[in-house]
Amino acid sequence: MDKANEANKVTWKGYLSLFVLIVLFSGVFKDADNFLKAFDFANLTGSFGQIVDGVDFTGKGGTGAKDGFLFALTLVPTVALAVGIIDVVESMGAMKAAAKIFNPILRPLLGIPGTAGVAFVSSFTSSDVASIMTKELVESGDMTDDERTIFVAYQYAGSAVILNTINTQAPLLPIALMAVGPIILIEIFCKLLGANMIRLYINMKNKKQRSVA
C-alpha cells in the first residue's frame, strides 16, 4: 500500500514541470519581445528559411499528393519537439500532477481523465500537439476509446479555437456583431456542448448494450 502511494505521489517537480508545460502550449508568451518568448512552443518550433520572395521549400501553387507530402514534412519538427518535451516532463511527474489538478474539472465537464488536462489546454492553440498527446494517452492506457471519442469531438469542432479565431479576425471583423473575446467564448461553449452530446450518446449506447447482455 505504501509503495502504491509512493508511486502516485506528486512532487514539486511534477507541479513545476506541469506549469512550464502549460505555459509552453498556452501561447501566453507568443508575442513576447524578450527572453520570455523562449517559453512559447511556437517560438521554439521556429520557422523554415525563405528561399525567394517569402516562399519556403514547400513552394506555392502545388497540388495533389506531392503538395500534401511536403506539407506533412513541415509537421515533423513540431511533432518531434512536442513528443520530446512531453516525454521529459512526464518523467518528472507532470502527468500525475495534471491528473490530480484537472480530474475534478474534466471529469464533470467532459467525462475524461485529468491526465488529459495538458492536451485540453494545448488544444486552444494547437490541434497538432493536442492530437499527439491524445494518442499518447490512449496508447499508455490513461484514456479509454470512449473517452477519446468524446475528447476528439471536443477538439475537432473549432480546432485550435483561440489561435484560429484570432488569426482570422480580420475577415471576421466587418461582419461580426461582437468582439473576438465573446466569439471565442461562444465557440468554446459549442465545443463543450457537442462533446457532451457525443458523451450522452455513448453512455446511452453502453447502457443499452449492458441491458441486452
Side-chain angles (χ1 to χ4, degrees), residues 5-182:
N5 291 333
E6 187 69 24
N8 294 324
K9 184 179 179 181
V10 182
T11 65
W12 65 269
K13 292 181 180 179
Y15 288 113
L16 178 61
S17 59
L18 175 64
F19 174 76
V20 172
L21 191 63
I22 291 175
V23 170
L24 279 174
F25 291 140
S26 66
V28 173
F29 298 121
K30 183 178 184 298
D31 299 320
D33 295 327
N34 48 33
F35 71 95
L36 291 176
K37 65 182 180 180
F39 290 94
D40 178 73
F41 182 76
N43 287 324
L44 289 177
T45 304
S47 61
F48 293 104
Q50 298 175 353
I51 297 177
V52 63
D53 297 330
V55 179
D56 60 21
F57 76 94
T58 60
K60 54 191 299 187
T63 59
K66 290 184 177 179
D67 188 53
F69 179 78
L70 284 178
F71 175 75
L73 282 179
T74 65
L75 299 178
V76 173
T78 302
V79 173
L81 179 60
V83 171
I85 292 175
I86 292 168
D87 285 344
V88 171
V89 298
E90 185 176 7
S91 66
M92 297 175 68
M95 294 309 163
K96 293 179 182 178
K100 191 170 183 178
I101 293 175
F102 286 102
N103 202 58
I105 301 173
L106 294 182
R107 274 299 178 192
L109 191 65
L110 289 170
I112 60 177
T115 49
V118 180
F120 179 79
V121 173
S122 65
S123 69
F124 289 117
T125 57
S126 174
S127 57
D128 299 328
V129 174
S131 61
I132 294 167
M133 298 185 72
T134 303
K135 178 177 178 290
E136 297 249 339
L137 288 170
V138 175
E139 291 181 346
S140 64
D142 293 321
M143 181 178 285
T144 66
D145 286 339
D146 287 345
E147 291 168 343
R148 172 176 58 182
T149 302
I150 297 169
F151 196 26
V152 168
Y154 168 83
Q155 293 183 46
Y156 186 77
S159 180
V161 58
I162 293 179
L163 179 65
N164 287 333
T165 302
I166 292 176
N167 285 346
T168 57
Q169 64 176 310
L172 278 175
L173 287 179
I175 61 174
L177 301 178
M178 295 182 293
V180 176

